[in-house]
Amino acid sequence: MIRVLLLVVALLVSAGAQAHKASDAYLQLTAGEQGLALRWDIALRDLDAAIGLDADEDGRLTWGEVRSAWPRIEAYALPRLRIDGCPLRLASHGLERRGDGAYATLQLESSCVLKAMPVLHYALLRDVDPTHRGIAKLQFTGERAPVLRLLEPAAMPAASAQPVATGGLEFLRDGIRHIVTGYDHVLFLLCLLLPAVLRREDGPARQSHWKPVERVSQALLPVLGIVSAFTVAHSVTLGLAAAKWVVLPASLIEPAIAATIVLAALDNVRPIFPVRRVVVTFAFGLIHGFGLAGVLAELNLPRTEFALALLEFNVGLELGQLAIVIVAIGLLFALRQRPRYRAWVVRGGSMAAMAVGALWLLERTVNVSLLPV
């Protein structure tokens, strides 16, 4: 019973995590014989968390508030980015509206001519949001293929220190990180897995009884179908959205993802869908795919590089998803014989997930904050 309660508590703890889009900044560096140009896009919501842009604290940023805050934005951001051997100066600034909100855009330049891949040191939001990262596209004039880097915020090192930018397989690692820290996607997946170690048996008078499966293979087969449906579905819309062939606003997708959690959890408590769960999973997976596509959609990569990055990112998603499924099924299979497994884990866990999903739905619909960041 203690382990059952710990599982329910784990679901409730996940409610305290922020399930909105991850904190990302975008850097596009172009280097040529005349020097280099760097465009740096930083979300206003992140800057507000770091230096407080909302002067009247009414929960809404106005153009006047942002305009008066430009000196503070520049003073905060510029010391937190450095390129070894290339002193950067601010050329201009502006605002840009993206699918997930407004961004401050800093245009930087330097007269230095790069002869090799630059060493970037990045410390934005280091003390505010440890999940933040910079997504950099480095392009040398005359070279077709851009180089991609994920920059994790760290203490600004000395000039002789190692580069902050990571090595290869950035998007595979980012795919794993994206699914593991995408708490709404994880919670949806857990809702699908909770009843997986039970099977329904029809008794007298057409009454159904739930019994625990005898072998783990009996649970894995339906789970394989469900996870495969989710994988195929979100891969389709992830590709469409990342390629910008189908573009839906975050104001629509984020509440829809929260709604899928509520409905999947409700179906565990009282079946509401007239079709098999694998069909429902596929339909809801299409929605989740749009929520996973943000990073790749913002990079504007050439076709070949985009295809490779998309493949790498998707493989990372599936590896992270596989790890979640293995851990969850192992734990649920160990608990399935408990007398009150269905009451405490399936029903209790589903009710907790339903409550969290409903709060996220309200947050994302009316733009209020009910759960702690």
Side-chain angles (χ1 to χ4, degrees), residues 162-227:
Q162 293 298 315
V164 177
T166 58
L169 299 178
E170 287 94 341
F171 281 93
L172 186 142
R173 285 193 292 268
D174 194 50
I176 296 174
R177 174 185 180 276
H178 211 81
I179 192 68
V180 172
T181 61
Y183 303 108
D184 42 7
H185 304 296
V186 172
L187 191 55
F188 173 74
L189 193 58
L190 289 177
C191 287
L192 300 177
L193 297 179
L194 288 179
V197 293
L198 300 176
R199 55 189 174 89
R200 191 194 303 266
E201 290 187 350
D202 293 329
R206 296 184 178 181
Q207 292 184 349
S208 295
H209 301 277
W210 290 90
K211 291 189 176 181
V213 297
E214 298 174 359
R215 300 182 302 276
V216 70
S217 59
Q218 293 175 305
L220 287 178
L221 187 59
V223 166
L224 179 62
I226 288 172
V227 172

Side-chain angles (χ1 to χ4, degrees), residues 87-231:
L88 297 170
R89 58 182 176 272
L90 181 67
S92 64
H93 63 236
L95 292 176
E96 177 172 302
R97 171 69 63 178
R98 293 173 177 255
D100 61 326
Y103 280 67
T105 299
L106 303 177
Q107 300 283 357
L108 309 176
E109 58 186 26
S110 176
S111 58
C112 72
V113 178
L114 296 176
K115 300 298 184 180
M117 190 59 57
V119 176
L120 281 75
H121 302 291
Y122 188 80
L124 187 71
L125 297 177
R126 174 176 174 265
D127 299 323
V128 178
D129 185 354
T131 70
H132 173 80
R133 73 277 173 86
I135 302 169
K137 181 173 72 171
L138 315 177
Q139 181 74 60
F140 284 83
T141 301
E143 293 187 11
R144 179 177 179 275
V147 177
L148 305 176
R149 289 290 184 266
L150 296 180
L151 309 176
E152 304 290 342
M156 192 69 79
S160 60
Q162 293 298 315
V164 177
T166 58
L169 299 178
E170 287 94 341
F171 281 93
L172 186 142
R173 285 193 292 268
D174 194 50
I176 296 174
R177 174 185 180 276
H178 211 81
I179 192 68
V180 172
T181 61
Y183 303 108
D184 42 7
H185 304 296
V186 172
L187 191 55
F188 173 74
L189 193 58
L190 289 177
C191 287
L192 300 177
L193 297 179
L194 288 179
V197 293
L198 300 176
R199 55 189 174 89
R200 191 194 303 266
E201 290 187 350
D202 293 329
R206 296 184 178 181
Q207 292 184 349
S208 295
H209 301 277
W210 290 90
K211 291 189 176 181
V213 297
E214 298 174 359
R215 300 182 302 276
V216 70
S217 59
Q218 293 175 305
L220 287 178
L221 187 59
V223 166
L224 179 62
I226 288 172
V227 172
S228 297
F230 185 59
T231 296

Side-chain angles (χ1 to χ4, degrees), residues 1-12 194 331-332 334-349:
M1 184 60 68
I2 291 176
R3 283 181 288 180
V4 173
L5 290 174
L6 287 175
L7 180 62
V8 175
V9 169
L11 286 173
L12 290 171
L194 288 179
L331 179 60
L332 296 176
L335 298 175
R336 76 196 189 288
Q337 298 284 4
R338 297 286 181 173
R340 299 190 62 80
Y341 174 87
R342 186 161 183 254
W344 279 94
V345 179
V346 179
R347 288 183 176 274

